[in-house]
Amino acid sequence: MTTSLMDRIRDRAFADSVPLAVHFDLTYRCNERCVHCYLDHDDHGEMTTAEVKGVLDQLAAAGTLFLTLSGGELLLRRDFFDLLAYARLLRFDVKIKTNAMLVRDVEAARIRDLGVRQVQVSVYSHRTEVHDAITQAPGSLQRTVNAIRFLSTRGLKVTIANVLMRQNAQDYEGVRALAAELGAEYTMDPTITPKMDGDTSIVALRMPAAQVLHLFKDRSLVGDDFCRPAAPGPVDDPEVLDALPCSAGHIACYITPYGDVYPCVQFPMTTGNVRRQPFINIWRDSPQFHEVRSIRVRDLTACPSCGYVATCTRCPGLAYMEGNMRGPSSADCEKSTLRAAAATS
């Protein structure tokens, strides 16, 4: 799909409030216990096969095109391939997120044959002792790497996602090299979020500012346009002030394994539950969605007076978990400061 066509589709979705992209976690159960994970891995009554298919029907009717299926570890669901086949029957453009520990050649072939566009696999380090300590699953790195090879040799587009924290802050170059060796794309993210239930204890795993600054100085990783100095003084550009803070709740949302609907996986504000209401009613009528959609940059409590606002990647979900979705997100404030520092050093 060309960029111009995608831009037109996105613009139309914004204008008509169409849920163009939906992230759907099928389970929170997992065969890893990652130290930074924000989920509760106990099963509190995840949706049945029939319920999930019913939700997929509703998403298709609502105009959803891009569907991300994830977990937990979604291959722990015995009906995963049934659900994946049904999603493709409904013509969703499907991306899946997995640790791939359960993917062997047969599973890789089925994923390819069902037409999955992209598979994202988390790898935390190229060093076994570091990766396996983060996942708390002995042998996990080797099994994941083997699976990525299966997927790549089957012609699938694989992206290695490298979440960075204190334990693996020095390993991104090794993981990037591993991705190149395996024929996979590479992305990194230094964001550690609070748990879904509001527990902020894992935030202590975030990389220190000095390490993030070192990361941002690596232009081969972040690109030449990533680091920009701050603009002087308060912002008075109407185009900036009238912009939407994020696409969450406008053209995108998240559904939990239990049917709760949030604006985003990082924005755990319940807007309704598909076990009790049709998805389209939640999407169109939820007071919470209406509130999210009403907010513009000029409505934020601190951002309009900040010189970083035009280039900031502020997450309203992280701000919400800090107590106010219109307020600043401390993690993103720090990132903006460090991006500016990296631009001038």
Side-chain angles (χ1 to χ4, degrees):
M1 188 176 294
T2 65
T3 301
S4 59
L5 175 58
M6 191 64 240
D7 287 342
R8 292 199 298 272
I9 292 172
R10 283 174 56 87
D11 289 346
R12 181 64 180 270
F14 271 112
D16 296 342
S17 292
V18 175
L20 185 65
V22 174
H23 179 158
F24 194 168
D25 277 351
L26 300 179
T27 182
Y28 284 161
R29 290 176 289 131
C30 193
N31 48 1
E32 295 180 333
R33 286 296 181 270
C34 297
V35 296
H36 63 291
C37 188
Y38 51 83
L39 299 175
D40 172 3
H41 294 302
D42 292 332
D43 181 2
H44 298 286
E46 61 196 32
M47 284 188 280
T48 64
T49 305
E51 286 178 311
V52 172
K53 288 182 175 180
V55 173
L56 294 176
D57 286 335
Q58 293 177 55
L59 295 179
T64 300
L65 175 59
F66 300 103
L67 180 68
T68 297
L69 297 177
S70 184
E73 175 44 54
L74 40 68
L75 268 78
L76 287 176
R77 283 196 62 134
R78 295 181 179 180
D79 60 355
F80 168 66
F81 283 105
D82 183 18
L83 295 173
L84 177 58
Y86 194 74
R88 292 294 296 133
L89 184 65
L90 293 173
R91 309 294 291 178
F92 290 114
D93 179 290
V94 177
K95 169 184 175 181
I96 66 173
K97 295 185 177 183
T98 173
N99 60 39
M101 286 177 64
L102 300 176
V103 174
R104 294 174 177 79
D105 195 49
V106 172
E107 289 79 14
R110 293 187 70 186
I111 292 169
R112 189 272 316 275
D113 293 345
L114 286 169
V116 169
R117 178 172 59 86
Q118 181 183 7
V119 182
Q120 180 175 304
V121 183
S122 294
V123 176
Y124 302 108
S125 175
H126 60 297
R127 295 183 292 159
T128 298
E129 65 274 18
V130 176
H131 178 94
D132 289 7
I134 290 173
T135 65
Q136 301 187 79
S140 56
L141 177 60
Q142 190 59 57
R143 291 175 66 182
T144 293
V145 168
N146 290 343
I148 293 171
R149 285 199 177 96
F150 286 135
L151 292 164
S152 295
T153 56
R154 287 290 182 172
L156 282 151
K157 179 181 178 182
V158 181
T159 296
I160 286 180
N162 186 197
V163 177
L164 296 176
M165 62 199 90
R166 289 177 181 270
Q167 292 92 322
N168 65 343
Q170 307 299 327
D171 289 359
Y172 72 89
E173 290 182 347
V175 178
R176 184 166 49 163
L178 177 63
E181 175 193 332
L182 295 171
E185 295 186 4
Y186 172 83
T187 64
M188 67 84 191
D189 186 0
T191 305
I192 301 296
T193 65
K195 293 185 178 183
M196 283 278 199
D197 62 6
D199 181 352
T200 61
S201 60
I202 57 176
V203 170
L205 299 175
R206 286 176 179 168
M207 294 166 58
Q211 289 181 319
V212 178
L213 179 59
H214 175 76
L215 193 73
F216 288 174
K217 287 180 179 180
D218 186 343
R219 298 296 195 273
S220 70
L221 185 67
V222 301
D224 292 332
D225 296 329
F226 180 81
C227 299
R228 301 177 184 177
V235 176
D236 58 4
D237 183 347
E239 187 174 348
V240 173
L241 294 173
D242 291 332
L244 300 173
C246 180
S247 63
H250 293 272
I251 63 169
C253 69
Y254 166 71
I255 303 176
T256 77
Y258 314 121
D260 292 314
V261 181
Y262 300 157
C264 172
V265 67
Q266 291 186 173
F267 197 160
M269 178 176 68
T270 304
T271 63
N273 187 288
V274 292
R275 281 175 154 165
R276 297 189 290 272
Q277 301 165 267
F279 171 80
I280 196 62
N281 290 0
I282 298 170
W283 179 256
R284 289 178 178 171
D285 303 329
S286 162
Q288 293 85 3
F289 270 137
H290 283 302
E291 182 180 9
V292 169
R293 291 172 192 150
S294 72
I295 300 172
R296 299 296 182 268
V297 168
R298 67 172 65 253
D299 301 317
L300 303 177
T301 59
C303 300
S305 62
C306 175
Y308 301 114
V309 66
T311 57
C312 182
T313 56
R314 173 189 175 275
C315 173
L318 292 179
Y320 172 79
M321 285 192 276
E322 289 187 26
N324 181 3
M325 70 172 124
R326 289 179 172 81
S329 158
S330 60
D332 291 314
C333 291
E334 180 181 73
K335 283 182 194 174
S336 289
T337 302
L338 294 172
R339 286 174 67 184
T344 57
S345 61

